[in-house]
Amino acid sequence: TGNLCIHKFHKNHSLKGEGDVTDFSATYEQFSIGRNKRPATSVAWRPGNGNTHVALGLSMMATAGHHQHHKHPHIRKARTHTEYGCLLWDVQHQQQSLSSQSPTSKTSTTPPFLKVCHNAGVSSLAWCGPTTLAVGCQIARQLQLYDLRVSASSSAPITVRNAHQKGAVSAICFNNSFHYGNWLLATMGTLDSVVRLWDMRRMDNATIGSSSGSSSSYKTNPSTLTEFKLEQPPTAIEWGQPGILSVAVSNRVLHFEISSSNKQPLQLGQTHASDTILDMAMIPNEERFLA
């Protein structure tokens, strides 16, 4: 549906038998842009700001009369939300239009407070701190960085062309460890089976990289640290302990030690699961544990 759904879990205590029993009930709220035909691809909470801002990535599907601005995909000329690939809601302060449909479900048609990625579908999202939103685009293999301290919807983002050799930027992961390279950004390409590491301190130009699409263009990119290719397509990436990047491949999670220089990552070990891993995340405040 392309709707943003916010789920809330409530603890319920009850007396059964000899002791207390704790279970959970759930309610959810939907944020909709109306007649949307595009599926959602990614969702990311903005750190800080009371955890009330959420970014939603949408696929860009061809529609009648649809025209893409290939030279300037960020330009805000569209009047409807359907021409943007990334929408941001404030789920706490935009609830005034919630209409009750059932005891457990409410739907809001309040428009998002910000929209970016004009005429570009989104394959992945990640917050690089509370001010920068990283977007992996479905077209032109682009990686875009939006600075929310300025007018992100009308100004040009920092754009890395051909961030991966094949296909879209499938996943983005920002290293938020203040003590170890909090300028490191990891991206994943499913079609090229490559994980790349970027130095955000060097991403200070409006457009970075060659538009030729050559496989060597990333090597001349000053923001590229290194890359490593996997035997199988990765499905997820996540930073764990400081300097450790975990990569899901099939039913395994590979753990790599990442150097702050451009040295090749060193594989430390792996963890096995009973089935194919589609996604994973770190448990907050528990840097050693993945879910």
Side-chain angles (χ1 to χ4, degrees):
T1 63
N3 289 349
L4 173 66
C5 294
I6 305 298
H7 299 261
K8 295 181 178 180
F9 295 88
H10 312 276
K11 273 188 177 182
N12 301 318
H13 295 277
S14 59
L15 290 174
K16 291 183 180 179
E18 298 179 354
D20 292 344
V21 176
T22 301
D23 59 2
F24 293 87
S25 61
T27 59
Y28 70 92
E29 300 163 353
Q30 294 190 82
F31 292 80
S32 172
I33 56 173
R35 301 177 62 182
N36 176 48
K37 300 294 184 181
R38 298 174 295 159
T41 59
S42 50
V43 63
W45 286 94
R46 183 180 183 180
N49 291 283
N51 285 334
T52 65
H53 293 177
V54 187
L56 180 73
L58 296 168
S59 176
M60 183 60 69
M61 298 175 62
T63 57
H66 183 73
H67 175 69
Q68 290 191 355
H69 299 270
H70 294 285
K71 292 184 179 180
H72 305 285
H74 62 274
I75 294 179
R76 185 177 183 174
K77 291 184 177 179
R79 295 183 178 179
T80 64
H81 306 306
T82 59
E83 294 186 23
Y84 288 89
C86 181
L87 309 175
L88 284 85
W89 274 278
D90 186 332
V91 297
Q92 179 176 346
H93 299 98
Q94 293 188 268
Q95 295 178 338
Q96 62 271 21
S97 66
L98 285 172
S99 59
S100 180
Q101 295 181 340
S102 73
T104 59
S105 171
K106 296 181 179 181
T107 300
S108 171
T109 56
T110 301
F113 73 88
L114 183 66
K115 47 187 183 289
V116 296
C117 289
H118 180 227
N119 281 342
V122 171
S123 56
S124 54
L125 291 171
W127 287 95
C128 305
T131 60
T132 304
L133 177 63
V135 179
C137 298
Q138 292 177 332
I139 63 172
R141 306 188 296 278
Q142 290 184 354
L143 171 65
Q144 295 184 353
L145 299 178
Y146 290 89
D147 188 346
L148 269 65
R149 292 171 296 184
V150 298
S151 181
S153 58
S154 59
S155 61
I158 295 175
T159 300
V160 179
R161 293 174 172 172
N162 300 302
H164 282 266
Q165 297 176 24
K166 296 180 181 179
V169 180
S170 306
I172 307 170
C173 192
F174 173 65
N175 180 29
N176 59 7
S177 173
F178 179 78
H179 300 288
Y180 190 97
N182 61 346
W183 37 264
L184 282 172
L185 184 70
T187 62
M188 179 191 81
T190 299
L191 292 184
D192 60 8
S193 299
V194 166
V195 174
R196 282 189 176 157
L197 298 171
W198 308 85
D199 186 344
M200 291 187 59
R201 299 172 299 180
R202 301 180 182 179
M203 292 182 175
D204 55 358
N205 298 319
T207 302
I208 303 173
S210 169
S211 59
S212 63
S214 62
S215 59
S216 61
S217 62
Y218 80 94
K219 297 179 180 179
T220 60
N221 188 331
S223 60
T224 306
L225 281 178
T226 187
E227 71 166 20
F228 55 98
K229 189 173 179 63
L230 302 163
E231 296 181 356
Q232 295 177 277
T235 55
I237 54 176
E238 184 68 64
W239 289 99
Q241 300 180 57
I244 305 298
L245 181 66
S246 298
V247 183
V249 178
S250 184
N251 67 332
R252 299 173 296 153
V253 179
L254 312 179
H255 307 287
F256 294 90
E257 182 180 11
I258 305 300
S259 170
S260 57
S261 64
N262 59 354
K263 296 179 181 179
Q264 279 295 108
L266 174 66
Q267 183 174 342
L268 300 178
Q270 56 184 313
T271 305
H272 290 265
S274 59
D275 205 345
T276 301
I277 301 170
L278 300 180
D279 201 0
M280 61 182 178
M282 287 298 302
I283 299 176
N285 303 318
E286 296 287 346
E287 291 184 333
R288 295 177 297 168
F289 297 98
L290 284 167

